[in-house]
Amino acid sequence: MYSKSVAQSPCEKRCNCWEEFKFVNCSRAAYNYIPRDIPLFAEYFDLSKNNLTVISRGAFRSLWKLKVLLINDNNIDFVGDGAFSCLESLQRLDLSRNKISIITSGFSTGLGSLRELHLSENKLRSLGSRSLQQLDNLQKLYLNNNSISFIENRAFSRMTCLRKLHLGENKLITLNNGIFSMLKSLEVLILEGNAINSTELNVFTPLNSLVILNLVHNNLKTVKVKAFLSIHTFGTHILLAGNHWHCDCDLQRIFRKLRSVQKLFLDDYFNLTCKEPRELNGYRLVEVDNELCIGETVTVLIITFTVLITVVAAIVMAERKRKKHTGKHWSEDSDISYDSQN
């Protein structure tokens, strides 16, 4: 497997090195440690599909030219503070498909130039406000397929350049105000496959550049119109299929309102399916949309008609009493007049 570049650069036995491409490939080499003697010219370093378990502080101290580092598909369960502190030129870091459960406050030290971070398919349970604090130039962040149930406010607050945030297939239940603060450049927000059942009114307000909001396959029964109206971007595409919609007159009014807003596009509206009530389970919302308010309308009409009849009956009864009372007085007056004449 060993090969040398044209310049005969030294390289680890189980790696391939190409100086002309500034590429070192140590993938599938059964390493359980960071290999030594990696050529200093390396800008692209592939350590994927090995047996690494720990990335210690300063593990890549000599590779300050690195721009791409692939450590995906290992068994890493711990990343020490400052593990990447010397990689000030790094632009892409892939740690996906490992066993990382915690991101410490020192994880991002030295990663100020990073543009793309992959942490998908790990065991993350939460994100703290200091976990990703030095990623000022990050543009793409992949956190999908973890077990994240809690995101602290301002966890992404330093990421003013972030354009894509993938949080799909986690365990989020609610979206609180502040978790997306400062994401003014975010264009794509993927929240598919969580357990989200509610959103606070201003949670999307900071997202001034949002193009795609994916909320497919969550536990939403209804939505708050104001939460979506707070999105200021013109032409935001919202995906909502696969939720637990409670189809009633209120939901009909909500979606009619949202569909009338020119700056919002409900791309999968015709695929929204009712979960509740039981008699509508499996029906598409568009199929029952025109009937959802009929029952309410009929009820209102019945109540109105009942009230109207009651009022009319009261008027009739009052009129009968008045006439009866007037007739009694007329009869008494007639008797008095007759007695006076006699």
Side-chain angles (χ1 to χ4, degrees), residues 297-328:
T297 302
V298 170
T299 301
V300 171
L301 288 174
I302 290 173
I303 292 172
T304 303
F305 185 68
T306 302
V307 171
L308 182 61
I309 289 179
T310 302
V311 171
V312 170
I315 292 173
V316 170
M317 289 296 294
E319 183 64 17
R320 285 179 177 177
K321 287 182 179 180
R322 186 187 67 79
K323 287 182 177 180
K324 184 177 181 181
H325 185 71
T326 302
K328 181 179 180 182

Side-chain angles (χ1 to χ4, degrees), residues 246-273:
H246 182 87
C247 295
D248 57 13
C249 190
D250 287 337
L251 191 68
Q252 182 198 62
R253 292 193 185 105
I254 289 169
F255 276 109
R256 284 187 176 179
K257 175 66 174 179
L258 290 175
R259 294 181 70 200
S260 69
V261 180
Q262 292 185 353
K263 67 179 182 179
L264 300 178
F265 297 98
L266 304 183
D267 288 359
D268 58 357
Y269 171 75
F270 292 98
N271 294 325
L272 302 188
T273 305

Side-chain angles (χ1 to χ4, degrees), residues 42-44 60 63-69 84-93 109-116:
E43 293 184 3
Y44 188 111
F60 304 96
L63 302 178
W64 53 273
K65 290 184 179 180
L66 274 186
K67 293 183 179 179
V68 176
L69 177 58
F84 311 109
S85 58
C86 300
L87 305 182
E88 296 182 357
S89 299
L90 197 67
Q91 296 183 12
R92 181 185 178 194
L93 174 60
T109 301
L111 296 178
S113 297
L114 200 66
R115 300 288 190 275
E116 190 171 323

Side-chain angles (χ1 to χ4, degrees), residues 27-96:
S27 180
R28 300 176 183 272
Y31 277 112
N32 57 13
Y33 62 90
I34 305 297
R36 304 172 184 84
D37 300 324
I38 299 301
L40 298 180
F41 63 71
E43 293 184 3
Y44 188 111
F45 188 16
D46 188 351
L47 261 173
S48 64
K49 300 178 180 177
N50 281 285
N51 299 317
L52 301 175
T53 58
V54 174
I55 306 295
S56 303
R57 180 181 178 86
F60 304 96
R61 64 171 58 91
S62 62
L63 302 178
W64 53 273
K65 290 184 179 180
L66 274 186
K67 293 183 179 179
V68 176
L69 177 58
L70 308 179
I71 329 178
N72 53 288
D73 295 281
N74 279 272
N75 294 308
I76 300 167
D77 58 13
F78 177 76
V79 179
D81 285 351
F84 311 109
S85 58
C86 300
L87 305 182
E88 296 182 357
S89 299
L90 197 67
Q91 296 183 12
R92 181 185 178 194
L93 174 60
D94 193 342
L95 282 161
S96 57

Side-chain angles (χ1 to χ4, degrees), residues 183-232:
L183 296 183
K184 61 181 182 180
S185 300
L186 194 69
E187 298 174 0
V188 178
L189 176 56
I190 299 177
L191 294 160
E192 180 176 351
N194 279 273
I196 298 167
N197 58 34
S198 65
T199 62
E200 292 192 358
L201 289 181
N202 297 313
V203 65
F204 302 124
T205 301
L207 307 180
N208 295 328
S209 304
L210 195 62
V211 176
I212 296 176
L213 173 58
N214 186 338
L215 283 161
V216 169
H217 295 300
N218 278 281
N219 291 335
L220 293 170
K221 292 184 177 182
T222 187
V223 292
K224 299 175 182 177
V225 174
K226 291 183 179 179
F228 292 132
L229 293 182
S230 68
I231 300 173
H232 301 298

Side-chain angles (χ1 to χ4, degrees), residues 6 18 76 78 103 107 111 120 129 149 162 214 223 264 314 329 332:
V6 175
W18 292 276
I76 300 167
F78 177 76
I103 300 177
F107 171 87
L111 296 178
S120 56
S129 60
S149 60
L162 195 67
N214 186 338
V223 292
L264 300 178
H329 279 285
E332 290 176 352

